[in-house]
């Protein structure tokens, strides 16, 4: 299957700082990428849909000014958690939808664990 | 909201078949059934998907009832590495349709 790489795998930051997480599709072009958040012992929650070259579409209840998403190329999307607080500590996972896919299969990254002190 | 219902947890002995059920009684004609799994602290992994015919690949088999209101994922010979949370998701193909995850089934494979 296709490969999606996230960086960093884990990050610890101080409260009030901003953290950027990168999501790269290594062997396919992703016109659409999705960002999820997962708290311990819970399922994945969709945060936003990111389309290359346009603004992201956020799910209800997700603050767009806090979670900045940029999808500047067909292989890279970034999520920036601005002014992070301890309640933002979570597992963030991205997925890419290959351009022109007929199966609609999404490929997921390995996730980035954020801990805000 | 997730459109599927799955048991919260299941157990399976190593080497035996694991049969994971999923109810999707409100599925529409253009929605596929997808199965993903998530091993602890990793990203979800695609397993299989189908529309109405049974499907098989190197990982699993997917059996969809004739009325499409339910399906079963079969891992023919479960191993300890198959211990994971398994998610059954219905979704349209095409456009930018997103995957909405439900609670899934936590499968524990034991020796």
């Amino acid at each position: 299957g296709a490969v999606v790489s996230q960086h960093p795998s884990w990050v610890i930051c101080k409260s009030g700082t901003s953290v950027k997480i990168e999501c790269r599709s290594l062997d396919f072009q992703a016109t659409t990428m999705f960002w999820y958040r997962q708290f311990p012992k819970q399922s994945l929650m969709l945060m936003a849909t990111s389309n290359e070259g346009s603004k992201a579409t956020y799910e209800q209840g997700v603050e767009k000014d806090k979670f900045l998403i940029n999808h500047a190329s067909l292989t890279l999307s970034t999520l920036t958690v601005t002014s992070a607080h301890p309640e933002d500590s979570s597992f963030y996972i991205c997925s890419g939808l290959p351009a022109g896919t007929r199966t609609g299969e999404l490929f997921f990254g390995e996730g980035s664990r954020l801990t805000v002190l | 909201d997730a459109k599927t219902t799955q048991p919260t947890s299941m157990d399976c002995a190593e080497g035996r078949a694991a049969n994971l059920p999923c109810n999707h009684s409100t599925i529409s004609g253009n929605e596929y059934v997808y199965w993903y799994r998530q091993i602890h602290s990793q990203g979800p992994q695609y397993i299989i998907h189908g529309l109405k015919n049974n499907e098989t690949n190197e990982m699993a088999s997917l059996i969809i009832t004739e009325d499409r209101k339910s399906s079963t994922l079969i891992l023919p010979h479960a191993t300890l590495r198959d211990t994971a949370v398994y998610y059954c998701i219905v979704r349209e193909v095409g456009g930018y349709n997103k995957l909405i995850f439900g609670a899934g089934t936590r499968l524990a494979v034991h020796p």
Side-chain angles (χ1 to χ4, degrees):
Chain A
V3 179
V4 174
S5 174
Q6 280 186 242
H7 179 81
S9 300
W10 58 269
V11 56
I12 301 173
C13 70
K14 292 182 178 180
S15 186
T17 60
S18 294
V19 174
K20 179 184 285 188
I21 300 170
E22 293 186 347
C23 176
R24 294 181 184 273
S25 54
L26 298 186
D27 51 4
F28 68 96
Q29 293 183 328
T31 52
T32 302
M33 286 185 170
F34 301 92
W35 285 94
Y36 293 83
R37 179 169 56 180
Q38 186 175 34
F39 294 108
K41 298 188 184 300
Q42 294 186 20
S43 185
L44 285 79
M45 185 193 78
L46 180 65
M47 299 175 67
T49 302
S50 151
N51 295 311
E52 186 264 336
S54 64
K55 291 183 178 180
T57 302
Y58 291 81
E59 296 297 305
Q60 191 173 7
V62 178
E63 300 175 59
K64 63 179 181 180
D65 294 329
K66 180 165 186 63
F67 299 99
L68 301 179
I69 292 173
N70 183 280
H71 192 164
S73 79
L74 289 173
T75 59
L76 174 64
S77 177
T78 61
L79 167 69
T80 301
V81 183
T82 63
S83 187
H85 290 285
E87 58 266 29
D88 298 322
S89 298
S90 189
F91 193 48
Y92 292 88
I93 307 168
C94 71
S95 67
L97 181 68
T101 178
R102 292 185 299 170
T103 65
E105 181 181 340
L106 289 185
F107 298 96
F108 286 82
E110 287 301 307
S112 299
R113 187 165 300 282
L114 170 64
T115 301
V116 185
L117 302 177
Chain B
D1 292 332
K3 301 178 183 179
T4 62
T5 304
Q6 298 178 252
T8 302
S9 63
M10 294 183 66
D11 287 322
C12 179
E14 188 177 20
R16 304 296 293 271
N19 299 297
L20 290 86
C22 179
N23 286 323
H24 31 79
S25 58
T26 60
I27 192 170
S28 62
N30 57 348
E31 287 183 317
Y32 284 68
V33 180
Y34 286 80
W35 283 84
Y36 282 77
R37 73 180 182 183
Q38 186 180 25
I39 296 171
H40 183 61
S41 294
Q42 297 183 22
Q45 176 189 23
Y46 167 82
I47 301 173
I48 199 167
H49 76 284
L51 182 62
K52 56 182 179 180
N53 297 322
N54 297 338
E55 302 288 340
T56 296
N57 62 21
E58 64 277 4
M59 290 183 68
S61 294
L62 174 60
I63 309 298
I64 303 174
T65 58
E66 192 169 342
D67 63 7
R68 301 185 70 236
K69 292 185 176 182
S70 66
S71 61
T72 301
L73 178 74
I74 301 173
L75 307 178
H77 306 287
T79 70
L80 298 179
R81 287 177 296 180
D82 291 322
T83 293
V85 178
Y86 287 76
Y87 297 98
C88 169
I89 304 168
V90 297
R91 168 176 173 259
E92 290 185 28
V93 173
Y96 307 119
N97 292 295
K98 44 202 176 185
L99 278 178
I100 302 299
F101 287 80
T105 295
R106 187 172 298 275
L107 175 69
V109 181
H110 51 84

